[in-house]
Every structure is written in C-alpha cells, then in structure tokens.
Amino acid sequence: MHSNSAGRHSHPTRRALLGTIAGIAAAGTAGEYVWHRLAHESRSSEKARSSIPDGKGTGPSNGKNTFERLSDPDRTVVRGPDGGTLATFTDGARTAVLAGPTRHFSEPRTTEAKVTTNAWVRVLPRPWQEGMENSGPFMKWLGKALTDTGPDVFAVAFQYSSAGAPDKHNANGVRYAGTAHFGPRNSKVEDPLDFAYHDEQSDFFDYLGIPWTFPDGTHVQPEKARYGDVDCSGFQRLVWGYRMGIPLHNTNTKGDGLPRRAFAIAADGPGCLVIPHTGADQATDLHALQPGDLVFFAIIKGKPDFIDHCGMYMGLDDQGRHRFYSSRSAANGPTLGDLSGRSLLDGTDFYARGFRSARRL
C-alpha cells in the first residue's frame, strides 16, 4: 500500500457519446405510487414556515418520532424517541440515509481497513422538499423503509466489487451484476499501479454488453473489448442510474440527471452540492458529508483544479478515517482499497490531496 503522486504517463481520450437517458432499467426503492401522491400533496397543501436552525426545536411528531430542520445543507432529520437519528432527507436530493442493521464492508486483498456502518442509502422517487413529512403516506413509507433490509445503494455497489462478486442475470439473460473491471489493458503503460494501466472510457452499457437507445433517438453500441468494464463515472452511472433509477444523459453539459464524466457530474449533476469545488486546494471541511455522497478528485499532474475521478463516500473506517469506494485502474475495478493511493478523503495521501468537492444526488 502506498501513495503515488505521479500523474498518468498518457491520459487516454474519452469517447464523446451523445444522447439522454430518461428510461432506466430498474428502480432502487419501493413506494413509487406513494411518492407520486406525496409530492403532489406536499406541493398543494404545504403552508409556509420558517427554517429551524441547527439543533433548535423539532417539527411535527407521529407520537414516537420527531422531525427536525437543519441547515448546511438544508435537510429534514427524523429522530427516534431517544433523540437518535433515524433518517436524513436533504432538500433537492433523492438520496435518503436511514439507520438500519449494522453491516461490515472489507476488501482484504487491497486493504486492512474495514467499514462498519448502520447507514442504509436509499433513492427517493422524488427530490425531497420541506413539508413532505406532513403527509400520511410518507409516514407509512418511512415505517416500511426503516425496516427494509433489501439491497440499498451500498449493497448494489458491492455487487460489482473487483475483489469478486457473483454474476446476476435478468430474465433476458443479460448479466446485470457481477465482478466489474475498469477497462481494457493499455499496452502503452507498463506499471500496473499507473492510473492508465487499464484504459478508461467504459460506461454502463459497455459493462452490460447491450446496445442502448436514448430518448433523443441516439443509438449506441457497446464495445466488445469493454464488456464487464466501467470507469469511475461509468460505475456511478451503472449503480445510481441503471440500477437505482436516477436519470442519465450522455453529454458533459447540464441536463436531466447524471452527465457522463466526473467533472460534469460534480458541476451539473442532480441533487445538491455539500462541498463546493473552489479550485486547486484540498477540501478539508468534511462535516457536511454523509454516506452515499459522491466525492470528486483532481488527480492529473499539472491540473490541480480539474476533476477527473469520482467515488462514493462510505463513512468512517475502523481507523476513524473517511473512506470512499470507486472504480480504479490499479484495482482493475470497484474498490475501497489502497492500491496506488489510499481510498481516503482526509490526511495527506494521494487521493486526500486531490479531494475537491462532494455532491448529494
């Protein structure tokens, strides 16, 4: 395990893929009908009310739980009878974090670190708005969600672990999950720990090995050499988009859903920024992070302000360090390990020095 501050020997060219994804193969959360009703009810009946500052007062109660409004970012927190946090819903974001059974994540081949967490990351059918907690259907949804142990975002993400994950096929025989790799071998690079040892440019439909038609009519074909491969942003699109139901589009401009590349997701992705990208300096104020946030890095030598890598924040590991999960060349796929740079946001290691911003989808 080591940190590597050298840049890529050759920065591969990425494909320019056109189109917009509006139809997604599978949604990642139950209760779509309830949330359609909830969004309508909250817009039509919500009364104006002032935001409650951090740690000040509580909102409505269902007899057992209370709701509190916090800021930075603006969010609604559900607290249990003992005051403990049961769930967090962030204004403008579809990511919800709920307390559930404790789980352990590890990858012994690449790191001794382990992540133990009771955070379950779910995707809401609609971005959260203040006042949605006043809806009866939401209370029913919340009760079910707090006891749901079906696959969440973390569980789905680890269905692609480069350390080994079993294949899963749908009714049409398409392998939609199983061990993922980063990309084809780059013959121009000899060092297996170099960031370009495996070629990037592999998106979710390359991993799946199926053609994809976007709503604007653009038709793309997967590259056979990239079957089973996803680069860093392609991996996030595979998990959050194809599997969890967040819209995708295939440009690097602002649009409905996740753009293609890391820098575009950081700047113009859905949800809300929890750590803004301010330039070439390391982001060190991590107080606003929560599990499931996308984290972004500038890792190209000579371009300290250009975002070229992204991952998923997992929380604190067993050493109290802020650990993330991403698809990387050195591990040849999704990893929380430390090959060619420790998967940490804090400290002075390679990725920590390159950490620039975070977004909650």
Side-chain angles (χ1 to χ4, degrees):
M1 291 180 277
H2 65 282
S3 295
N4 182 357
S5 58
R8 294 172 173 152
H9 296 309
S10 60
H11 182 59
T13 303
R14 301 185 192 233
R15 291 176 296 172
L17 298 174
L18 302 177
T20 304
I21 300 178
I24 305 299
T29 185
E32 181 80 23
Y33 171 68
V34 168
W35 274 87
H36 273 290
R37 290 177 55 197
L38 173 59
H40 174 74
E41 290 177 13
S42 63
R43 283 194 297 269
S44 62
S45 64
E46 180 182 358
K47 296 180 180 179
R49 57 179 182 162
S50 59
S51 177
I52 300 173
D54 283 357
K56 302 293 185 181
T58 57
S61 170
N62 68 350
K64 295 182 181 179
N65 301 329
T66 57
F67 296 81
E68 184 176 5
R69 284 294 292 176
L70 301 178
S71 59
D72 193 25
D74 293 339
R75 61 201 188 276
T76 300
V77 174
V78 185
R79 300 200 186 279
D82 63 352
T85 300
L86 297 181
T88 301
F89 304 94
T90 303
D91 292 8
R94 291 178 59 182
T95 300
V97 178
L98 300 97
T102 297
R103 296 176 292 173
H104 308 276
F105 296 94
S106 64
E107 193 179 314
R109 78 182 181 103
T110 57
T111 184
E112 296 179 355
K114 300 178 179 64
V115 175
T116 299
T117 181
N118 72 340
W120 290 66
V121 182
R122 302 287 180 188
V123 176
L124 308 176
R126 290 288 183 272
W128 179 259
Q129 297 175 351
E130 180 182 359
M132 284 184 172
E133 69 273 20
N134 294 314
S135 166
F138 168 76
M139 299 307 297
K140 295 179 181 179
W141 179 92
L142 180 62
K144 293 179 180 179
L146 286 171
T147 58
D148 183 7
T149 56
D152 71 330
V153 173
F154 280 173
V156 168
F158 275 80
Q159 290 177 1
Y160 302 95
S161 172
S162 61
D167 289 350
K168 296 179 181 293
H169 296 82
N170 66 19
N172 295 321
V174 174
R175 187 186 72 148
Y176 67 87
T179 303
H181 298 299
F182 186 82
R185 172 77 171 84
N186 185 349
S187 61
K188 297 179 181 180
V189 178
E190 297 181 357
D191 183 359
L193 296 182
D194 190 281
F195 301 122
Y197 187 75
H198 294 98
D199 190 27
E200 50 190 354
Q201 306 179 54
S202 299
D203 203 358
F204 74 98
F205 55 84
D206 291 307
Y207 173 88
L208 298 168
I210 60 174
W212 199 265
T213 300
F214 300 103
D216 68 351
T218 302
H219 188 74
V220 293
Q221 290 285 344
E223 294 186 21
K224 291 182 179 180
R226 298 182 183 279
Y227 176 68
D229 297 345
V230 276
D231 64 16
C232 66
S233 54
F235 176 52
Q236 301 304 330
R237 284 158 61 86
L238 178 63
V239 172
W240 292 93
Y242 180 77
R243 292 295 303 278
M244 306 307 295
I246 288 182
L248 303 171
H249 66 94
N250 233 37
T251 71
N252 292 314
T253 58
K254 197 168 186 177
D256 180 20
L258 288 173
R260 172 61 181 101
R261 291 184 59 181
F263 75 86
I265 298 173
D268 296 317
C272 70
L273 280 173
V274 291
I275 299 178
H277 179 204
T278 59
D281 294 331
Q282 176 181 350
T284 57
D285 185 357
L286 311 182
H287 80 277
L289 285 173
Q290 74 176 20
D293 288 349
L294 293 193
V295 288
F296 301 93
F297 306 83
I299 63 173
I300 300 177
K301 187 176 181 180
K303 294 185 177 181
D305 61 348
F306 180 72
I307 300 297
D308 194 49
H309 187 68
C310 62
M312 181 188 301
Y313 178 58
M314 296 197 65
L316 299 180
D317 63 19
D318 56 350
Q319 301 299 313
R321 306 293 297 277
H322 295 269
R323 189 161 289 270
F324 68 94
Y325 186 62
S326 69
S327 185
R328 289 159 54 178
S329 175
N332 195 17
T335 181
L336 58 76
D338 298 323
L339 291 175
S340 195
R342 300 170 77 185
S343 295
L344 299 174
L345 302 180
D346 56 317
T348 58
D349 293 294
F350 175 72
Y351 282 98
R353 295 198 307 272
F355 179 44
R356 296 292 181 267
S357 69
R359 176 175 290 277
R360 187 164 302 156
L361 298 181

